[in-house]
Every structure is written in C-alpha cells, then in structure tokens.
Amino acid sequence: MVCWGVLGVSRLHYTIHTGRITSKTGAGQHALERFEPRWHRIIAEALRLRAEPAPGSDYMKLSERREEVVAFVTWAIEWTLRAGAA
C-alpha cells in the first residue's frame, strides 16, 4: 500500500507536470525535490520499501504510517489537480 499509493501518485504528478514517464523510484526522487518537507518521511519510507521490502521502519506504528499514506495521497491528488488547473 505504501509504495503503490505514495509512489504511484507521485508518478502521476510527474507525468502530468512534465509530460514524461518515469519509474516509481524516479517519481519518489522527484517528489522529494518537489513536495514540501512535511511529506519527505513517507516518501522516503516508500522508496525504502521499494528498494528493499525488509522489516524495519521509521514509523513506530503501522497505523501511523497508514494515516500518513492516506494524508499524502489525498494531498498530492488535490495539489496536482489545483496546480494543473492553474
């Protein structure tokens, strides 16, 4: 869920704003450069899980991580739509 949500939405953002296609990893790297620092923790977590889905996390609780994914996906979709309409 973390990789699919965070990196998938980041990939769509990248494509909408650049007209190009990138990998989910490339989209995550782009998101770290483009999105505000508030989201860097969940983006980094998604990139970590994509590279090596081993146990361990920066999040103490999976529920906290899930809430961050939902918040990020919601924010990123809304931000992308607003920016695309401008």
Side-chain angles (χ1 to χ4, degrees), residues 58-75:
D58 189 33
Y59 290 86
M60 297 294 283
K61 297 180 183 178
L62 290 179
S63 61
E64 178 189 9
R65 186 172 74 180
R66 183 176 50 248
E67 289 170 10
E68 278 288 296
V69 169
V70 171
F72 173 79
V73 167
T74 301
W75 173 84

Side-chain angles (χ1 to χ4, degrees), residues 33-49:
E33 295 170 5
R34 182 89 168 126
F35 296 152
E36 58 192 60
R38 172 182 181 217
W39 303 114
H40 289 187
R41 182 177 177 208
I42 195 62
I43 296 165
E45 178 78 348
L47 287 168
R48 181 193 69 79
L49 287 168

Side-chain angles (χ1 to χ4, degrees), residues 4-67:
W4 185 87
V6 172
L7 300 179
V9 168
S10 297
R11 191 173 186 205
L12 290 172
H13 172 272
Y14 179 88
T15 298
I16 288 168
H17 286 277
T18 67
R20 298 187 310 255
I21 297 173
T22 188
S23 65
K24 285 186 177 179
T25 300
Q29 293 166 346
H30 174 79
L32 285 173
E33 295 170 5
R34 182 89 168 126
F35 296 152
E36 58 192 60
R38 172 182 181 217
W39 303 114
H40 289 187
R41 182 177 177 208
I42 195 62
I43 296 165
E45 178 78 348
L47 287 168
R48 181 193 69 79
L49 287 168
R50 181 153 174 83
E52 188 171 331
S57 176
D58 189 33
Y59 290 86
M60 297 294 283
K61 297 180 183 178
L62 290 179
S63 61
E64 178 189 9
R65 186 172 74 180
R66 183 176 50 248
E67 289 170 10

